[in-house]
Structures are given as structure tokens and as C-alpha cells.
Amino acid sequence: MSAPPVSHKPKHGVKRKHNLAKLKTRQKAKAIEKIEKKNDAVTFEVVFVGRSNVGKSTLLKNLTGRNVRTGKRPGVTLKPTHLYFDDFLITDMPGFGFMSGVTREKSEDVKNNIVQYIEEHADRIFLAVQVIDGPAFAEITGRWDSRDEIPIDLELHDFLEEMEIITIIAANKMDKVKDDEKDNMLNEIVKIFGYDGTWKECGALVAPVSARGGDIRPLVSHLKNEFHKMKRDDLFKHFK
């Protein structure tokens, strides 16, 4: 008896995998196209920058009511997270500095990518919110000074000023500071940033906030004041 003819039809499992791969490719292409359309519509952007684990994502979540990737470990957010509101974009930049499980080389890449992103989109970035760990800021920058190195925080702040981007310093975790110590701590922070005078009179835009505690009113106030100066009161509605 002759052998049965060999079937060249693909097995159902192989065919299903092929169809799934094609579907995922189409879905990815549509997603990219959708994002490109959103980016093309953006005319006004605010970026949130700062060290890892200073509370940027939590602050943004409280500020906008929108879900933002958050994590307990430093370095969870490695790529920019975008929140789109018509022609308005808020970007949560990845945290720089120490990142758990991330090599020093990768950490440097992240910092360079932040600079590159801001340079590429400087024409639409009108505001930056630099989030710092208020209670730990003096100690962190002091460690850099002891090594005769310029703290990354100060480098970034100078870079934003060079790019002529208005920057608000959001001193987070103020719930950890006693009320009678807050002014002295904030005065020390603006001094480290190179400003003369008290934090209320030095000319810097300083917003003492507590993301976990839900007290973000000083930041909202600064944002709305700057939006008003730029004749963008319509952006108020996007903040709590």
C-alpha cells in the first residue's frame, strides 16, 4: 500500500500564531499612528523632572486625577510618561540618579535622554516642575559637594534656565518636616540653588508640597499663575 500524501497545509496552531502576530502588528501600527496624531496636536507642554523616588508620579496623579505609573523602588519609571489633554501635554520624565537594579551607564543614558528630549521639544515646553525631596535635599547635594562634584539637581536647574523654560521647584515630602522648621529648610534649599534671600522673596518659584498627604495647593497656585500670564487660563480645568 502506498504511503498517504503529505499535507502541506499549516497546522491550526501555527496558523493561529501567524494571525495573532499580524493582528499585533496592525494594533501596534494603529497605536503609533494615534500617538503621532496626539503629538502633532501638542502646542503647550509641561515637564516634570527630578531624582528617582522623589514622588513625581504620585504628585502628578494627585494633580490631574489621571493614573500615572508609580512605584516604591527608585528607577521604576525609565521612559517618559505622557498625559494628553487636547493640545496640552504633561510629561513625567524618568527619574535620574540612583536607580535600583540599573547600571551606572544606564543611569547616565537616562539623564542624557532627559536633556535630549527637552532640547528636541523646547519650542513647546513652556514650564518645568522640578520635584525634589525637600527634607533630604541639603544632605543629597552635600554629598556631591564633598566629592567636589556639581549635584545633578543643580545642573538640571541651570540647563532649564539656559533653555529659558520657567521652572517651579516643588519641594515634596513636606509632611515629614515640623512646621517650625519648614521656613529654614526652604531657605536653605533656595540658597543651594543659588538664589539670594528667603524662599518667599528670592524670586524663585518654590512650592512646598506633600504628594502623599494630598497638599499640593502651592504647586497648583504657581501653575495657574504662570498659565494666566501666558493667556492659557483654559488649562486650569485640567488640575484639581
Side-chain angles (χ1 to χ4, degrees):
M1 181 181 291
S2 60
V6 178
S7 174
H8 295 287
K9 292 182 179 180
K11 294 181 179 180
H12 291 298
V14 176
K15 187 175 182 180
R16 184 171 180 272
K17 287 182 179 179
H18 178 68
N19 290 338
L20 283 174
K22 288 176 65 177
L23 178 61
K24 288 181 179 179
T25 300
R26 288 198 297 268
Q27 289 176 336
K28 185 176 181 180
K30 287 183 179 179
I32 292 174
E33 182 181 357
K34 186 176 181 180
I35 292 174
E36 287 178 346
K37 285 183 179 180
K38 286 182 176 180
N39 276 322
D40 289 341
V42 173
T43 62
F44 195 110
E45 183 174 3
V46 176
V47 294
F48 278 65
V49 297
R51 285 183 174 273
S52 303
N53 212 32
V54 292
K56 297 193 313 310
S57 300
T58 303
L59 185 59
L60 264 171
K61 189 174 183 179
N62 288 340
L63 187 66
T64 66
R66 297 268 290 266
N67 288 325
V68 183
R69 287 197 306 268
T70 60
K72 295 181 180 179
R73 290 186 300 105
V76 168
T77 307
L78 294 178
K79 295 182 179 180
T81 298
H82 300 296
L83 299 179
Y84 292 93
F85 306 85
D86 299 323
D87 76 323
F88 176 45
L89 174 64
I90 297 177
T91 300
D92 179 18
M93 301 301 298
F96 53 81
F98 169 76
M99 291 181 280
S100 178
V102 178
T103 64
R104 184 179 181 88
E105 182 179 3
K106 179 62 178 178
S107 178
E108 281 296 311
D109 287 343
V110 171
K111 185 182 72 171
N112 292 334
N113 289 341
I114 292 172
V115 171
Q116 183 178 348
Y117 179 91
I118 293 173
E119 288 177 336
E120 289 180 353
H121 300 92
D123 60 326
R124 71 185 193 191
I125 300 176
F126 290 90
L127 278 169
V129 178
Q130 183 172 2
V131 187
I132 64 171
D133 183 333
F137 188 71
E139 179 186 349
I140 292 171
T141 55
R143 289 201 297 265
W144 284 73
D145 287 337
S146 67
R147 300 192 299 263
D148 290 327
E149 296 178 340
I150 299 175
I152 301 176
D153 312 77
L154 305 189
E155 282 187 329
L156 180 60
H157 192 76
D158 289 344
F159 167 70
L160 291 169
E161 285 193 339
E162 289 174 7
M163 298 299 293
E164 299 183 348
I165 296 173
I166 296 171
T167 304
I168 300 170
I169 301 171
N172 195 20
K173 305 184 182 183
M174 293 299 294
D175 52 302
K176 297 182 179 181
V177 183
K178 295 179 181 179
D179 287 341
D180 60 350
E181 297 175 357
K182 289 182 178 179
D183 279 344
N184 287 337
M185 189 200 74
L186 293 169
N187 289 340
E188 179 66 17
I189 287 173
V190 296
K191 182 180 179 181
I192 292 171
F193 272 108
Y195 294 94
D196 294 325
T198 67
W199 71 276
K200 293 181 179 180
E201 301 172 347
C202 67
L205 299 177
V206 182
V209 296
S210 171
R212 288 196 177 279
D215 185 6
I216 59 174
R217 291 169 296 177
L219 176 58
V220 174
S221 178
H222 276 310
L223 286 169
K224 288 186 175 182
N225 283 340
E226 296 307 314
F227 290 155
H228 179 69
K229 292 176 185 177
M230 299 175 190
K231 303 186 185 301
R232 289 302 307 260
D233 289 9
D234 59 298
L235 300 181
F236 290 5
K237 62 187 178 184
H238 299 305
F239 300 98
K240 287 185 174 183

